[in-house]
């Protein structure tokens, strides 16, 4: 039985003047997960992996970001299944 895949799009809005540092830090942390594929563009970061892996990573890393940098808004969109993150039109 195959596990369910999840594709998520995450936007992080740190509530501080130096907003790029927390965003780059968060993306670097996401990259430490070998089981999750990541693509980032100017607006958001998209990830795909096993459903439970993606949700667990987000729980751990959003909490870590809040603990390290304080207030930040995370906006996430989820779609069940695996989307091709390299696709463009």
């Amino acid at each position: 039985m195959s596990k369910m895949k999840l594709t998520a799009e995450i936007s992080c809005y740190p509530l501080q003047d130096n907003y790029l540092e927390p965003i780059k830090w968060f993306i670097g942390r996401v990259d430490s997960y070998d089981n999750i594929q990541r693509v980032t563009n100017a607006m958001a970061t998209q990830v795909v992996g096993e459903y439970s892996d993606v949700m667990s990573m987000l729980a751990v890393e959003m909490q870590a970001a809040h603990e390290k940098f304080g207030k930040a808004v995370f906006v996430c969109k989820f779609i069940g299944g695996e989307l091709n993150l390299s696709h463009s039109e």
Side-chain angles (χ1 to χ4, degrees):
M1 180 174 156
S2 65
K3 294 185 177 185
M4 183 173 182
K5 296 282 190 174
L6 178 68
T7 303
E9 181 176 272
I10 309 128
S11 297
C12 177
Y13 303 97
L15 301 180
Q16 62 184 54
D17 289 338
N18 181 19
Y19 61 90
L20 284 179
E21 179 188 354
I23 293 170
K24 289 178 180 180
W25 180 88
F26 181 82
I27 292 168
R29 301 267 299 202
V30 170
D31 283 344
S32 72
Y33 293 79
D34 293 334
N35 54 344
I36 295 175
Q37 178 187 359
R38 177 201 55 91
V39 170
T40 297
N41 61 42
M43 299 277 301
T45 294
Q46 297 161 333
V47 296
V48 66
E50 299 294 339
Y51 198 104
S52 60
D53 293 343
V54 171
M55 294 303 283
S56 296
M57 177 275 295
L58 287 173
V60 167
E61 299 308 335
M62 287 191 305
Q63 179 177 346
H66 285 132
E67 288 173 348
K68 183 171 179 68
F69 295 104
K71 293 182 179 176
V73 175
F74 285 91
V75 176
C76 301
K77 295 188 286 186
F78 302 97
I79 184 166
E82 182 175 3
L83 296 183
N84 179 356
L85 298 183
S86 64
H87 175 75
S88 64
E89 300 229 0

